[in-house]
Structure formats: structure tokens, C-alpha cells
Amino acid sequence: MRYRTLGSTSLSVSVIGFGASPLGNVFSPVPRADDAALVGRAVDAGINFFDVSPYYGAGLAEERLGAALAPYRKNVVLATKCGRNGADQFDFSAKGITASLEASLRRLKTDVVDLIQAHDIEFGDIDQVIDETIPALLALKQQGKARTVGITGYWPGLLARVVSEAPVDTVLNYCHWNLFSDDMDAALSPVAERRGIGLINASPLHMGILGGVTLPEWHPAPPAVRAAGAQVVSFCRSSGVDPATLSIWACLQHPSVASTLMGFAGVEQVDSACAALDFAPNALVLQKVRRLVAPVHNTSWPQGRPENEDIGRVLAVSEEDDIKVTKA
Ligand code: NAD
């Protein structure tokens, strides 16, 4: 395993992180009896960064991860979230997120999390996120219930705006830097780099598409993206390449992402991700994969409040604009 420092924090995280949403059965049922072996395999492989949320299975993923991680808790970096409680349930108020973290700590069987993140901020009122949610997260840090604070979400431009205006330690973006997309770099990565904010990339398989798994009903990707993904999977398999290994390998090439979070539902998926650490793709295979995804490159889908999507779609945040915001 390789490790990187998470922005300006003192946390050292594995470049492949364990995304625990599958433990909430969000993609498909994952047998609870497998939890200890799954988490144990990840720890044995050197994975020390674990990410979860109360939203994943309405507390189920936190409960399962808390139990499976208990023997390793002191040696891992544990991140959870707050603010999103259901598909359409959000509470970014100070009171709501404080109560949410208390409940998470109980489920995770720990006194402190290493990272608490406001979850999917594009669904919130952005002024509230900046003026109320993040100050409340910082108060929880002050009280010793979280070591660092961050935000997560879908739109790189929206995340860039918030990290330019509020003192967070980390930012997590998903489905915007993998074989399908690279527009996280147009808006977010440079701002995070300039500010020393830990950059976390999630969903290397575009939420399962590049793994070739049956997609859940809620999956938001448009048909053309799914079809291109199916072509990539089938081409990779016929070329003797594991599409999941190739996909995470591509994400590991990012120069400033501290960790790429992958959702694991079985020990073989941990193995296939970790195989990317020593992987060298055939140039012709990679070229063909890039050609297959080219027609849908950087395709996004509606997510969150329309007014936030408008901010989120503004891609380039120039260094000059970023500095202007700082000085204002
Ligand atoms: P992902 O791209 O990692 O895909 C996960 C899916 O792919 C699961 O169904 C999993 O079983 C399957 N998979 C994994 N390895 C595979 C393999 N080798 N072969 C075939 N299928 C495989 O997407 P994700 O789970 O959405 O993202 C990873 C993690 O990132 C999440 O669990 C979560 O912790 C985090 N995340 C956070 C946010 C947010 O905060 N807004 C959003 C998305 C993801």
C-alpha cells in the first residue's frame, strides 16, 4: 500500500480507501456474516482509511463498520458524515448535525471520529452550509468529537466555492475524476491544492458501472453512460483485464488526490482494487477504453438544488478569482 498525507492535517491515509456504503446494502444485499473478513482483508492489505455515513442504510453501514473495525480502531482513519439522513431528508442545522454525530459515535463504537463531513452539500442551502453547518462542525472538532472536518458532494464547482469561503480540512468529490470524467480538475483540484485542503476522490467505478455489477434502481447515470460502461467492461474482460483494477489504477494516477474511495462488497473486490498498485496497463487497451468512453466523457446528471447545480456547473475557478474571494 502507499500512503499520502490528507492535505494539511496530520493524517496519513492509504491511497485506496474503504468506502462502506455497500455495508448499508445500498447496491445489493451484502451478508453481514462477511463483515469481519471483508474489513480484515482490507486492513491486511494496508488500507487504513474508512469512510461511511448515517445515510448508508439508515445507520446500518455505520453499525456494521463499527463492529468490524473495533479490533483495529486505533490504527485506522475513520470518516463519517452528517446532514443527509435519507434520499430526500436533509438537516444541515447546527442542532441536527450535532445530534447526528452523537448517534454516529454510538453506532461506530468510538468516542471520536477522525473526519466528520457535511454530506452532499448540493442538497442544502449553501449559505447555511457556510454560516451554520461548518461552524458547528468546527465546534465539534473543538469539543474533541472529531479530529478534522470536511464537505462532500457531486459538483466540483460548488465544492470549490465552499472551500474557498470556509475553513475545512478536506473535500470529497465523486464521479468527477475517473475513466468517465476529469472535470474535478477544472474546478476543484487546483483550489484544494492552493489551500492545502485534503482532496478525496470517490466512486472510481462510477458507482459500480465499471465493475460490471447489476446497477440498483436509484443509479442516476443516463443510459448512454451505462452503455459505454458496459462496452468498457466487456472489452476489458475479453482482453484479460479486470475492469475494476484498470479503473482504480486510472484514479491512482492523480497527482494530488490523497485517497480514492472504493465501495467494497466482498474480499475479492478488495484484492482486485489492490492489484492496481502494481498494475501497468497495456497502452493499446487503455487507448481503446478512452475511445469507448469519449462520446460520454464528462457527462453529468442533475443532482441537488437547481441553484446549486448552476454554481456547480461553472467549471473554471481561476487562481485570480480564488485569491479575490480570499481577500474579500
Ligand atoms: P464505486 O465506484 O466504488 O462502486 C461501488 C460498486 O462497485 C459496489 O456495487 C461494489 O460492490 C462494486 N465493486 C467494487 N469493486 C468491484 C470489483 N472489483 N468488481 C466488480 N464490482 C466491484 O462507488 P461508491 O461505492 O459510490 O463509492 C465509493 C465510496 O465513496 C462509497 O462507499 C462512499 O464511502 C464514498 N462516496 C461518498 C459520496 C459522498 O459523500 N457524497 C458519494 C459517493 C461515494
Side-chain angles (χ1 to χ4, degrees):
M1 185 53 64
R2 296 192 291 269
Y3 300 86
R4 284 185 172 179
T5 303
L6 191 52
S8 307
T9 75
S10 56
L11 300 171
S12 173
V13 290
S14 47
V15 293
I16 299 174
F18 187 113
S21 64
L23 297 186
N25 295 331
V26 303
F27 290 97
S28 58
V30 177
R32 200 171 181 145
D34 297 351
D35 292 358
L38 177 59
V39 167
R41 184 72 139 245
V43 170
D44 287 348
I47 292 177
N48 77 339
F49 186 34
F50 290 79
D51 176 77
V52 69
S53 165
Y55 171 49
Y56 305 148
L60 179 65
E62 285 189 326
E63 214 180 291
R64 291 173 65 171
L65 184 66
L69 260 189
Y72 317 108
R73 174 65 192 99
K74 286 199 171 70
N75 302 321
V76 300
V77 175
L78 177 57
T80 193
K81 314 194 185 83
C82 57
R84 180 162 206 175
N85 302 314
D88 300 313
Q89 284 171 278
F90 298 88
D91 183 354
F92 289 102
S93 70
K95 197 170 159 218
I97 63 140
T98 304
S100 177
L101 179 56
E102 292 293 351
S104 291
L105 292 175
R106 280 194 296 277
R107 285 189 291 264
L108 289 165
K109 296 184 181 24
T110 188
D111 298 330
V112 54
V113 289
D114 299 291
L115 171 62
I116 179 75
Q117 305 157 100
H119 193 172
D120 288 342
I121 60 160
E122 64 273 13
F123 288 90
D125 170 338
I126 285 308
D127 290 334
Q128 182 188 32
V129 169
I130 292 171
D131 298 333
E132 182 176 346
T133 314
I134 293 171
L137 293 178
L138 293 168
L140 291 165
K141 180 174 168 179
Q142 209 56 36
Q143 292 161 26
K145 292 185 175 159
R147 294 200 168 91
T148 58
V149 308
I151 55 170
T152 82
Y154 181 70
W155 295 111
L158 184 71
L159 294 166
R161 181 191 147 189
V162 175
V163 303
S164 299
E165 294 185 34
V168 293
D169 300 302
T170 68
V171 59
L172 181 162
N173 190 204
Y174 72 98
C175 288
H176 283 274
W177 211 88
N178 56 30
L179 284 173
F180 275 116
S181 304
D182 60 8
D183 52 4
M184 180 176 84
D185 279 356
L188 179 60
S189 315
V191 179
E193 275 171 43
R194 283 198 290 274
R195 291 170 180 269
I197 292 167
L199 185 58
I200 302 164
N201 184 23
S203 308
L205 303 182
H206 233 44
M207 300 193 290
I209 292 179
L210 293 166
V213 291
T214 307
L215 297 181
E217 258 177 39
W218 55 259
H219 203 296
V225 173
R226 294 166 186 234
Q231 284 184 310
V232 169
V233 169
S234 140
F235 166 70
C236 282
R237 287 182 179 156
S238 69
S239 309
V241 173
D242 178 341
T245 304
L246 177 71
S247 301
I248 191 150
W249 171 86
C251 290
L252 295 180
Q253 305 314 303
H254 196 284
S256 62
V257 164
S259 187
T260 300
L261 291 172
M262 190 144 172
F264 295 126
V267 290
E268 71 293 347
Q269 296 187 352
V270 175
D271 295 344
S272 125
C274 292
L277 294 163
D278 303 317
F279 181 70
N282 175 300
L284 291 176
V285 169
L286 194 56
Q287 205 176 45
K288 169 80 177 177
V289 166
R290 301 263 185 226
R291 267 208 301 273
L292 289 172
V293 297
V296 292
H297 189 235
N298 284 334
T299 297
S300 54
W301 46 79
Q303 203 66 204
R305 296 184 179 196
E307 68 270 24
N308 290 339
E309 187 170 328
D310 290 345
I311 303 170
R313 280 186 189 276
V314 176
L315 281 182
V317 176
S318 70
E319 186 162 0
E320 199 180 74
D321 286 346
D322 188 23
I323 289 164
K324 260 192 243 153
V325 171
T326 316
K327 286 186 178 155

